[in-house]
């Protein structure tokens, strides 16, 4: 990539900083939950219209697609794709910033407002310099990343990867563990699949002094929690990353009341689709067998979530080289495997992708909280770095 394009990227990303910061703060003030991002969708469309970029609203319900082409591009030419997300989380924000959420109980605690603001800024730079683009660029403003079935799967079903086709797709994600100014990559396997497990144990309630007259769902639940862990520790190949965690165990009895029901909610994550299928079958069988052993029944729901995420090695290597040339070798990190999940993985099942990380941490400013935390925030200088990185992905 020649120095003239590098100069354009550095100059315009810096000049657009205040504008993009304003985008981010507006969306942060007015967050919307998954699949209900109607105002956010309209805001994005309004900014694209001001820039002059043609777009399509209501893709997959509340998403937006936009195309950047030059006069030399044909309508059928394949595209490079850049993706951001629109939805927020059901979290009560604990920050006291001027742009604090005004929608009580809803917060952009995962940085999707950051991603979308960056993509709008990137869009303006690419539109101004569209004659320098080797390929057209398709912009994905995607709904519903935070909630099954995942907005990515709905965008794909709505034809977002076609007409015109997308031959490679990039996305960045804020990373509070990484210093602002840095970016991070991992070729190959990076993030896990994610399935949700809901178990209701139907027992028989009664007095705590006469447990022999009850079928105690709490005791059965305790057996389930310990027994299910053996599926991971004794049935899974140790070379396959895998975790089974339960974060909810509810049984509304009292000191002397054994309740009729207990409810468990958990998550199963791995990086192997064959093992994923096998393990979920084992979990279902163990739940039924354990409850039957103690005379109870179980209502089990397994909500299939996102597949594991695998970055295309060649595409990621290309993006790492561009980033080292632009930011400097010391600013580009190689990332470890994570068992968090991302619906960007649905795109990875279809085309080559590169999902990378954007450092937003600044300990001096107290910006140290992780995503999904009520005090999550970013060092705004990350907006410039994010625009620059996304431009590097689009220019060839």
């Amino acid at each position: 990539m020649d120095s003239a394009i590098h100069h354009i990227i550095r100059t315009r990303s810096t000049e657009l900083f205040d504008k993009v910061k304003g985008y981010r703060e507006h969306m942060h003030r007015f967050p919307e939950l998954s699949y209900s991002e109607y105002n956010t969708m309209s805001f994005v469309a309004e900014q694209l219209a001001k820039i002059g970029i043609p777009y399509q609203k209501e893709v997959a319900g509340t998403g937006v697609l936009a195309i950047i082409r030059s006069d030399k591009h044909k309508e059928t030419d394949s595209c490079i794709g850049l993706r951001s997300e629109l939805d927020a989380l059901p979290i009560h924000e604990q920050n006291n910033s001027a742009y604090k959420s005004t929608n009580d109980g809803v917060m952009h605690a995962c940085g999707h407002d950051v991603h979308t603001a960056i993509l709008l800024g990137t869009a303006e730079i690419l539109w101004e310099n569209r004659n320098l683009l080797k390929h057209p660029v398709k912009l994905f403003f995607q709904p519903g990343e935070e909630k099954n079935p995942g907005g990515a799967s709905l965008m794909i079903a709505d034809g977002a990867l076609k007409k015109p086709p997308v031959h490679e797709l990039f996305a960045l994600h804020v990373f509070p563990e990484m210093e602002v100014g840095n970016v991070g990559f991992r070729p190959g396997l990076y993030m896990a699949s994610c399935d949700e497990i809901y178990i209701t144990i139907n027992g028989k309630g009664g007095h705590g002094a006469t447990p022999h007259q009850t079928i105690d769902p709490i005791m059965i639940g305790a057996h389930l929690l310990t027994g299910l862990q053996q599926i991971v520790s004794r049935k899974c190949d140790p070379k396959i990353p895998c975790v089974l965690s339960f974060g909810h165990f509810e049984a509304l009895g009292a000191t002397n009341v054994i309740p009729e029901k207990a409810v468990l909610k958990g998550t199963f994550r791995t990086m192997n689709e064959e093992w994923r299928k096998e393990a979920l079958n084992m979990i279902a069988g163990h739940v039924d067998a354990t409850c039957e052993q103690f005379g109870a029944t179980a209502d089990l729901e397994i909500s299939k979530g996102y597949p594991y995420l695998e970055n295309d090695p060649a595409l990621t290597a290309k993006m790492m080289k561009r980033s080292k040339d632009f930011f400097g070798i010391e600013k580009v990190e190689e990332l470890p495997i994570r068992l968090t999940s991302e619906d960007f993985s649905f795109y990875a099942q279809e085309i080559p992708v590169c999902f990378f990380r954007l450092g937003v941490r600044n300990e001096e400013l107290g910006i140290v909280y992780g995503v999904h935390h009520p005090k999550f925030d970013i060092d705004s200088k990350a907006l410039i770095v994010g625009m620059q990185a996304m431009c590097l992905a689009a220019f060839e």
Side-chain angles (χ1 to χ4, degrees):
M1 192 177 294
D2 64 40
S3 58
I5 291 179
H6 278 195
H7 177 74
I8 290 168
I9 294 172
R10 291 187 197 281
T11 302
R12 289 300 288 137
S13 60
T14 303
E15 291 171 348
L16 286 169
F17 171 69
D18 287 338
K19 186 176 188 178
V20 171
K21 184 171 178 282
Y23 291 155
R24 186 257 167 159
E25 292 180 356
H26 172 88
M27 287 182 283
H28 196 91
R29 278 195 296 270
F30 304 106
E32 296 175 297
L33 293 174
S34 304
Y35 311 113
S36 299
E37 311 96 330
Y38 298 102
N39 292 329
T40 310
M41 174 183 67
S42 296
F43 176 79
V44 167
E46 181 183 347
Q47 307 319 311
L48 291 170
K50 289 178 180 177
I51 298 168
I53 301 172
Y55 64 87
Q56 177 188 352
K57 288 173 62 177
E58 300 179 356
V59 181
T62 48
V64 181
L65 283 177
I67 296 281
I68 297 174
R69 291 190 185 94
S70 70
D71 294 338
K72 66 183 179 183
H73 295 137
K74 301 175 184 176
E75 289 192 6
T76 56
D77 285 351
S78 67
C79 301
I80 294 172
L82 306 177
R83 174 265 206 167
S84 69
E85 321 93 308
L86 304 178
D87 55 329
L89 286 159
I91 291 175
H92 181 80
E93 183 164 7
Q94 293 179 9
N95 292 315
N96 292 312
S97 61
Y99 48 88
K100 179 179 179 180
S101 171
T102 60
N103 188 355
D104 191 40
V106 182
M107 177 190 175
H108 271 295
C110 203
H112 294 178
D113 54 338
V114 179
H115 307 162
T116 299
I118 285 170
L119 191 53
L120 285 170
T122 302
E124 186 160 351
I125 297 170
L126 298 180
W127 181 253
E128 293 168 351
N129 299 280
R130 56 193 180 276
N131 289 328
L132 300 177
L133 293 171
K134 181 177 178 182
H135 296 280
V137 176
K138 186 182 287 191
L139 310 175
F140 290 61
F141 297 90
Q142 178 206 297
E145 191 280 325
E146 296 288 353
K147 187 174 181 180
N148 284 352
S153 68
L154 302 181
M155 293 284 279
I156 292 168
D158 215 358
L161 294 177
K162 302 176 181 178
K163 297 182 180 179
V166 179
H167 63 265
E168 59 189 39
L169 185 62
F170 298 83
L172 57 72
H173 199 292
V174 296
F175 198 35
E177 298 168 37
M178 183 185 292
E179 289 298 315
V180 66
N182 290 10
V183 290
F185 299 88
R186 183 177 182 85
L189 286 176
Y190 179 43
M191 298 177 77
S193 62
C194 177
D195 301 306
E196 297 174 355
I197 300 170
Y198 302 89
I199 305 168
T200 300
I201 302 167
N202 304 300
K204 179 182 177 182
H207 200 293
T210 57
H212 61 293
Q213 297 176 355
T214 73
I215 299 174
D216 186 349
I218 298 177
M219 181 272 296
I220 297 169
H223 275 270
L224 274 179
L225 286 178
T226 55
L228 286 171
Q229 291 304 324
Q230 295 178 33
I231 292 175
V232 174
S233 66
R234 289 296 175 266
K235 298 296 183 181
C236 179
D237 184 333
K239 296 187 293 294
I240 299 174
C242 182
V243 67
L244 175 63
S245 297
F246 285 86
H248 181 106
F249 189 159
E250 180 181 82
L252 299 177
T255 57
N256 61 350
V257 177
I258 294 173
E260 288 189 358
K261 296 180 184 293
V263 177
L264 289 76
K265 300 177 184 179
T267 181
F268 176 75
R269 297 163 186 254
T270 187
M271 288 183 165
N272 181 290
E273 287 299 312
E274 290 182 7
W275 165 242
R276 179 188 185 191
K277 181 179 179 181
E278 183 180 353
L280 292 177
N281 287 333
M282 287 184 181
I283 289 169
H286 186 81
V287 170
D288 288 340
T290 301
C291 289
E292 183 179 359
Q293 175 187 355
F294 292 103
T297 61
D299 298 322
L300 172 66
E301 178 191 352
I302 296 178
S303 177
K304 287 292 290 288
Y306 312 155
Y308 69 86
L309 172 59
E310 186 166 4
N311 280 322
D312 182 79
L315 190 62
T316 305
K318 180 172 67 174
M319 188 61 184
M320 289 178 71
K321 182 182 185 306
R322 292 180 188 175
S323 298
K324 289 176 181 178
D325 290 345
F326 186 89
F327 296 112
I329 294 175
E330 72 283 357
K331 296 292 185 180
V332 179
E333 302 183 22
E334 186 154 348
L335 302 167
I337 283 174
R338 289 175 63 87
L339 286 170
T340 51
S341 64
E342 236 292 342
D343 82 342
F344 193 71
S345 57
F346 283 112
Y347 300 116
Q349 304 287 306
E350 305 290 331
I351 59 172
V353 304
C354 176
F355 181 86
F356 63 97
R357 295 287 180 171
L358 175 69
V360 298
R361 186 181 186 88
N362 188 324
E363 293 189 14
E364 290 184 6
L365 297 179
I367 299 172
V368 297
Y369 296 97
V371 293
H372 294 219
H373 191 283
K375 290 188 177 181
F376 167 78
D377 205 347
I378 69 160
D379 183 332
S380 293
K381 291 194 297 291
L383 296 168
I384 296 176
V385 179
M387 282 186 278
Q388 292 171 345
M390 290 299 253
C391 284
L392 292 175
F395 284 114
E396 293 193 275

